[in-house]
């Protein structure tokens, strides 16, 4: 090993010998970081950082490999590809054809969420002057979609429009017209993507109503098809199916996983897949679906938000307490208060969060100095209950509290019944 390659540190020196092996080892670590579904957010972050160090050690001085460049390979057009990250002499043979993810970046659904959540932290930190870095074109496109949609909804009909995006993420052209959404929001309804169709048909997720991903492997008599929602929890709870592809025939689905049944305590707020007949195939022609970014960060968290709102209204119907969903053009996600106007007594202000990795949410809270809307509670879906200990510790630093949706529901009902607040 030359002195140049000593830049990666003692651990790299001991593990790698020569530039060719350096790069090969680095690409192996990087590939595992991009595709290993067993890694949680923190572990994946550490492994990507390790891969960055190995790649830089292999390339030598004068050829930096930016952390943002590796994040950029988690999704989008270059998902899984490491082409262009290394100088030609350091690249293993066949690098041009090497991809750790498929070309659409859908081999692991984790990659999409992880990349988005890291970007949100970076952007939040940059806004308060704690971090410098670049934002990629795909970052800007995803953020642009979200910001444009929310900006277009502002006004007297904000709640109606946003609720339509939650309840109607995939509709016919005629149904879309009847929703009367603002033109900028309409622009983010697109044709059903090809990776969600088979022989001109698609399937609606029974939990979120968005198109499910369709995969066909093999050919002829050995061909097998699978259909599942791109939101992992929906797939785990039942939105996962198999079928036998037959040319010229509409696919018929069979359940691939056991459908979960929520406990009695969690049943009221449950938004996963439910037992029943698998969804019927729908023709792709004539249908439009929300862009993936907007579906994941508007429809998905919106489902438990709306359900929590509905159940709170129902259970507090005999009290003098009002519940508002996305009040004042989304000042909060939920407001629970007594009275109106100047005499209003605010009991709870809520920001609902659905992050796959709690570390990313904690980092964002730190970068924002708490909740950017100054909500007093961070509420997560019931299936994110494992995040609560870490969130509780962080929220305490900002004068906030954290709870799952069901725990929060019970807290509100109990507090209102006792005549108290907060």
């Amino acid at each position: 090993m030359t002195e140049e390659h000593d830049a990666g540190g003692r651990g790299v020196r001991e593990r790698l010998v020569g530039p060719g092996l350096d790069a090969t080892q680095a690409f192996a670590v990087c590939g595992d970081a991009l595709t290993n579904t067993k890694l949680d957010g923190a572990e994946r972050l550490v492994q990507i950082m390790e891969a960055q160090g190995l790649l830089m050690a292999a390339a030598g001085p004068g050829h930096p490999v930016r952390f943002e460049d590796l994040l950029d390979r988690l999704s989008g057009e270059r998902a899984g590809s490491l082409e262009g990250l290394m100088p030609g002499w350091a690249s293993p043979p066949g690098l041009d054809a090497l991809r750790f993810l498929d070309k659409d970046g859908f081999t692991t659904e984790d990659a999409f969420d992880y990349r988005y959540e890291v970007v949100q932290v970076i952007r939040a930190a940059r806004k308060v002057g704690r971090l410098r870095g670049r934002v990629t074109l795909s970052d800007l496109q995803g953020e642009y979609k979200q910001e444009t949609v929310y900006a277009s909804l502002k006004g007297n009909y904000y709640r109606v429009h946003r609720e339509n995006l939650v309840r109607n993420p995939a509709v016919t052209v005629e149904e879309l017209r009847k929703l009367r959404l603002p033109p900028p929001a309409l622009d983010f309804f697109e044709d059903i993507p090809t990776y969600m169709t088979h022989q001109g048909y698609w399937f609606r997720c029974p939990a979120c109503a968005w198109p499910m991903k369709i995969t066909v492997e093999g050919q002829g008599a050995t061909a097998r098809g699978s259909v599942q929602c791109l939101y992992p929890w929906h797939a785990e709870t039942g939105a996962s199916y198999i079928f036998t592809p037959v040319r010229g025939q509409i696919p018929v689905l069979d359940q691939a996983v056991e459908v979960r049944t929520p406990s009695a305590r969690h049943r009221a707020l449950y938004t996963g897949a439910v037992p029943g007949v698998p969804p019927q195939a729908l023709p792709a022609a004539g249908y439009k679906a929300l862009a993936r970014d907007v579906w994941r960060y508007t429809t998905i968290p919106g489902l438990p938000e709306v359900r929590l709102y509905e159940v709170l209204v129902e259970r507090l119907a005999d009290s003098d307490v009002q519940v508002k969903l996305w009040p004042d053009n989304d000042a909060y996600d939920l407001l629970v208060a007594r009275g109106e106007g100047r005499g209003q007594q605010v009991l709870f202000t809520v920001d609902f969060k659905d992050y796959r990795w709690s570390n990313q949410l904690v980092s964002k809270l730190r970068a924002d100095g708490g909740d950017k809307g100054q909500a007093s509670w961070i509420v997560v879906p019931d299936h994110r209950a494992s995040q609560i200990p870490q969130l509780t510790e962080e929220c305490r630093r900002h004068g906030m509290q954290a709870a799952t949706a069901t725990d929060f529901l019970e807290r509100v009902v109990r507090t209102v019944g006792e005549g108290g607040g907060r």
Side-chain angles (χ1 to χ4, degrees), residues 122 145 212 318 345:
I122 291 174
K145 291 176 183 177
M212 292 187 285
D318 295 331
Q345 179 191 5

Side-chain angles (χ1 to χ4, degrees), residues 15-194:
R15 293 163 57 187
L16 308 175
V17 181
L21 290 178
D22 283 355
T24 301
Q25 177 70 19
F27 283 120
V29 173
C30 194
D32 186 57
L34 296 181
T35 61
N36 189 341
T37 58
K38 295 181 179 179
L39 298 177
D40 64 19
E43 293 169 336
R44 192 183 303 277
L45 184 64
V46 169
Q47 192 152 328
I48 292 178
M49 292 175 69
E50 180 184 0
Q52 178 191 17
L54 292 173
L55 289 171
M56 292 182 69
H63 188 88
V65 178
R66 297 169 60 88
F67 181 69
E68 294 91 338
D69 292 333
L70 294 182
L71 287 181
D72 199 33
R73 307 305 175 94
L74 284 171
S75 64
E77 290 296 322
R78 296 189 295 174
S81 172
L82 299 180
E83 181 181 1
L85 287 179
M86 300 287 284
W89 63 266
S91 301
L95 176 63
D96 290 350
L98 180 63
R99 298 191 77 90
F100 290 110
L101 305 176
D102 65 43
K103 66 179 180 179
D104 293 318
F106 297 118
T107 298
T108 64
E109 283 65 60
D110 289 358
F112 185 89
D113 280 2
Y114 178 76
R115 186 176 180 283
Y116 181 90
E117 292 170 10
V118 168
V119 167
Q120 295 308 300
V121 174
I122 291 174
R123 289 177 67 86
R126 186 181 299 113
K127 288 179 181 178
V128 294
R130 298 178 186 173
L131 184 66
R132 293 183 179 180
R134 70 184 185 91
V135 178
T136 66
L137 176 60
S138 57
D139 297 340
L140 291 175
Q141 288 173 335
E143 188 70 13
Y144 168 75
K145 291 176 183 177
Q146 284 296 100
E147 293 297 329
T148 301
V149 167
Y150 285 140
S152 72
L153 302 183
K154 300 296 185 182
N156 295 333
Y157 297 99
Y158 178 84
R159 178 186 154 186
V160 173
H161 291 325
R162 184 164 172 181
E163 197 166 342
N164 274 329
L165 295 182
V166 172
R167 298 183 185 276
N168 305 283
V171 292
T172 65
V173 173
E174 181 60 27
E175 289 169 336
L176 182 58
R177 188 178 299 114
K178 292 179 180 179
L179 294 180
R180 299 185 180 278
L181 291 166
L186 289 173
D187 290 342
F188 296 114
F189 278 86
E190 306 169 341
D191 292 338
I192 307 297
T194 56

